[in-house]
Amino acid sequence: MKMPKGKIDLHSHTTFSDGSFPPADLVALARAKELKALAVTDHDTIEGLAEAVGAGERMGVEIIPGIEISADYPPGTLHILGYFIDYRSAKLKEALKEIQEARVRRNPEIAKKLAALGVPVTMEEAVAESGGGQVGRPHFAQVLVKKGYVKDTEEAFEKYLTKGAPAYVEKRRVLPEEGIRLIEDAGGIAALAHPVQLRARTAEEFYKTLDRLIALGLKAIEAYSSCQTEKEAFFFNEAGRRRGIFVTGGSDFHGALKPGVELGGMGKWAGLDYGVVEEMKKFIGKRKTR
Ligand code: AMP
Ligand code: ZN
Ligand code: FE
Ligand code: FE
């Protein structure tokens, strides 16, 4: 039997995007959960990584500096995770600035639409919810819940904020190739986050998208996720193995901003452990010496 190498979680958010835990608190929680490695993957920002890495060193949790980039993909949602990125890269920071500005432009429009719908959330209220980081839809959702307009985050999204709902506002996103390129240029490994959200209707359609992303540089697939069933995880695990890319997993932990998801929680135990982190580090090491 294979010896387990330690628990990991390769997808988590802090107050720098739409998580409710500041980086150091998130790392403390990872330690309490006995995680050996944690990837911190805020949406479109790397601002929380220095603090997370520092906390990891103090607390004995290996922090994988990461990011989650939302790419343009009309049939569904395409989020690309980057693992082991150089978060000191000036080029990456510069590129992210543009993406962040698109978000900043979108938020007042969401506020305007919510007001017109009779469930007003001001920018001030959303900002107060954000803990000082970027403001996103989950913060609007949180205020909607607190003001009693909806019963929970899920209802806030379904009724108002999800794609196609009346307070949804499009934001300019990077193309998949740009997102992958940003991660590769920063020395990282690009992974397909929660592939179920691509909403592929058939296995064939899924493989077509996957192969296109692999051709663009994708190197990993998040088979295990709090938002994927055991059956889905099995399918995506199989896809990753068939294509010879890394099979990874993460909880997509957001703390109070995504109730019901636990750090380290990604469905049934499926043999995913620190071994994949070792493999990825070996891969990066080899790439560097080439
Ligand atoms: P934004 O980056 O502002 O567009 O917000 C994206 C975030 O909203 C993601 O991190 C998701 O976790 C969250 N989100 C998207 N759809 C839903 C949903 N239906 N229910 C709960 N959270 C959602
Ligand atoms: Zn999020
Ligand atoms: Fe995501
Ligand atoms: Fe996420």
Side-chain angles (χ1 to χ4, degrees):
M1 219 179 83
K2 227 172 74 179
M3 284 294 284
K5 295 187 170 185
K7 287 191 272 182
I8 60 169
D9 187 334
L10 301 184
H11 190 158
S12 68
H13 297 274
T14 78
T15 43
F16 281 86
S17 67
D18 53 0
S20 66
F21 285 64
D25 295 4
L26 179 70
V27 176
L29 182 62
R31 197 199 142 94
K33 299 253 177 200
E34 298 176 346
L35 297 185
K36 187 168 162 80
L38 171 73
V40 176
T41 56
D42 278 317
H43 298 278
D44 308 328
T45 181
I46 51 177
E47 296 296 314
L49 294 179
E51 181 186 329
V53 169
E57 280 164 8
R58 284 197 311 278
M59 296 183 217
V61 180
E62 183 173 335
I63 299 302
I64 297 164
I67 191 164
E68 182 174 17
I69 298 178
S70 309
D72 192 43
Y73 184 72
T77 296
L78 171 52
H79 289 176
I80 304 163
L81 292 165
Y83 306 130
F84 302 102
I85 55 168
D86 172 13
Y87 58 95
R88 293 183 189 89
S89 158
K91 194 173 154 201
L92 180 58
K93 278 185 200 165
E94 195 54 41
L96 290 175
K97 225 200 269 169
E98 255 179 66
I99 300 177
Q100 289 157 7
E101 279 162 10
R103 184 182 284 282
V104 169
R105 281 195 300 273
R106 178 189 64 164
N107 287 330
E109 292 191 43
I110 296 179
K112 217 192 272 173
K113 285 196 169 183
L114 289 172
L117 290 162
V119 287
V121 174
T122 65
M123 274 311 298
E124 289 68 32
E125 288 170 318
V127 169
E129 214 51 59
S130 72
Q134 293 190 104
V135 175
R137 285 180 289 161
H139 303 115
F140 285 96
Q142 192 85 339
V143 180
L144 288 169
V145 174
K146 283 196 178 164
K147 291 176 97 172
Y149 295 141
V150 290
K151 68 173 193 305
D152 55 22
T153 311
E154 215 40 60
E155 189 184 333
F157 270 91
E158 281 320 303
K159 252 176 121 171
Y160 300 109
L161 298 166
T162 200
K163 210 173 192 172
Y168 180 75
V169 179
E170 251 328 312
K171 72 173 184 295
R172 202 187 63 81
R173 297 167 199 276
V174 297
L175 294 171
E177 50 267 46
E178 292 172 322
I180 292 172
R181 173 57 66 84
L182 278 176
I183 290 162
E184 291 246 305
D185 282 355
I189 289 179
L192 175 59
H194 39 63
V196 71
Q197 291 187 12
L198 292 175
R199 292 179 201 255
R201 282 161 308 183
T202 61
E204 198 188 358
E205 195 180 297
F206 171 75
Y207 272 99
K208 216 170 133 189
T209 303
L210 181 67
D211 288 339
R212 187 165 70 91
L213 294 171
I214 290 173
L216 295 171
L218 191 87
K219 303 251 172 344
I221 181 168
E222 187 179 62
Y224 305 100
S225 166
S226 63
C227 69
Q228 283 162 189
T229 64
E230 201 184 341
K231 218 173 123 194
E232 287 160 348
F234 184 85
F235 177 84
F236 296 130
N237 174 41
E238 185 71 17
R241 306 243 168 250
R242 278 194 193 163
R243 291 300 184 260
I245 57 178
F246 298 110
V247 172
T248 67
S251 64
D252 203 359
F253 181 75
H254 287 71
L257 281 133
K258 205 170 183 182
V261 175
E262 259 190 73
L263 192 66
M266 49 183 107
K268 248 191 161 162
W269 175 255
L272 183 77
D273 68 9
Y274 188 75
V276 68
V277 174
E278 287 178 332
E279 284 170 32
M280 289 196 288
K281 287 204 285 197
K282 222 185 277 170
F283 173 83
I284 287 179
K286 267 194 211 145
R287 186 163 67 183
K288 273 189 185 140
T289 57
R290 251 193 318 201

